[in-house]
Amino acid sequence: MCIVLGFWPSHFKISTMVVISKLNKPSYDSPKSFRPIVLLNTISKLIEKVIGDRLQFHAISNNFIHQSQLGSLKFKSTTNTGITLSYIIHLGWFKNLSISTLIFNITQFFSSLNYYLLTFILEKIGFNPSVIKFFSNYLVGRKTNYFWNSFTLPSFDVNVGVGQDSALSPILLALYLLPFLYILEKHLKNFYSFFCKQ
């Protein structure tokens, strides 16, 4: 119903960020010595799970996910990644090619997701306008407050990113990275063809 209405209730947009110290750090003078945990409304997490599963099914059934996107998806795991990487390496060796791998981790990815770009990507991919309207509403007007030991900050607006703890985060990650993966693939093909001509 949330997708049909293009609406995410405001009481589901309120979260609490609990800051927990990481264990065995030599110093606690750096923000990296702490882990923020986002506490979300339980009912909203259940609804997000259903929406996330349906969104992923729709995206995969319509080939909206890049073939090299193995993380963050159901039925894809590190085992799939290892098998795929092993296959590519062996295929390269069979063709007497040199093989290199590009692996990256985007720090603070979930918390820096730009919702304008996300809704633009969803529109360009061809998602139904009601899905785009839903995410336009889902990603704005959110509030959180920090809780650390006995210290609590008042609620403040959080209109950037999506909670890493959200069930929607994995599929949103896959869709958000889609243009980057196609651009990277195009440049790698150009790079490969340039060196093959040498």
Side-chain angles (χ1 to χ4, degrees):
M1 197 62 155
C2 291
I3 295 282
V4 173
L5 296 174
F7 177 74
W8 189 243
S10 59
H11 57 276
F12 289 165
K13 296 181 182 188
I14 299 169
S15 65
T16 299
M17 181 103 45
V18 179
V19 181
I20 299 173
S21 306
K22 293 180 182 177
L23 296 176
N24 303 323
K25 292 291 179 181
S27 170
Y28 290 93
D29 296 339
S30 166
K32 289 189 176 191
S33 299
F34 301 92
R35 175 173 287 118
I37 307 293
V38 179
L39 303 177
L40 302 168
N41 180 298
T42 304
I43 301 298
S44 75
K45 289 177 78 165
L46 291 171
I47 296 170
E48 284 181 359
K49 177 80 173 125
V50 171
I51 292 170
D53 287 351
R54 291 185 67 197
L55 192 63
Q56 183 169 318
F57 176 79
H58 182 71
I60 290 172
S61 332
N62 290 288
N63 294 319
F64 292 161
I65 305 295
H66 192 275
Q67 62 185 359
S68 69
Q69 176 68 37
L70 296 174
S72 306
L73 299 171
K74 281 183 182 274
F75 311 114
K76 304 276 182 153
S77 66
T78 52
T79 304
N80 296 104
T81 305
I83 291 168
T84 303
L85 187 57
S86 179
Y87 170 77
I88 291 168
I89 290 169
H90 284 91
L91 184 64
W93 288 345
F94 178 77
K95 295 180 177 182
N96 291 323
L97 297 172
S98 296
I99 304 296
S100 40
T101 304
L102 173 64
I103 300 173
F104 55 91
N105 181 20
I106 304 172
T107 305
Q108 300 295 317
F109 177 81
F110 293 104
S111 60
S112 59
L113 186 121
N114 181 310
Y115 76 91
Y116 291 115
L117 180 57
L118 176 64
T119 53
F120 177 77
I121 291 167
L122 294 174
E123 185 179 341
K124 287 297 179 188
I125 290 173
F127 272 96
N128 187 297
S130 64
V131 172
I132 297 162
K133 184 178 177 188
F134 168 76
F135 280 105
S136 294
N137 184 271
Y138 170 82
L139 293 167
V140 298
R142 293 179 301 139
K143 294 185 177 293
T144 194
N145 65 322
Y146 280 99
F147 182 78
W148 183 15
N149 294 329
S150 60
F151 178 75
T152 304
L153 280 175
S155 293
F156 58 92
D157 294 336
V158 183
N159 287 323
V160 174
V162 62
Q164 187 168 352
D165 198 31
S166 168
L168 288 169
S169 297
I171 186 61
L172 294 180
L173 167 111
L175 294 169
Y176 196 78
L177 288 177
L178 191 62
F180 169 75
L181 292 172
Y182 278 110
I183 290 166
L184 181 63
E185 178 183 46
K186 178 182 172 188
H187 286 289
L188 288 175
K189 283 181 180 176
N190 291 340
F191 182 75
Y192 176 76
S193 63
F194 174 77
F195 281 102
C196 286
K197 292 176 184 176
Q198 300 298 321

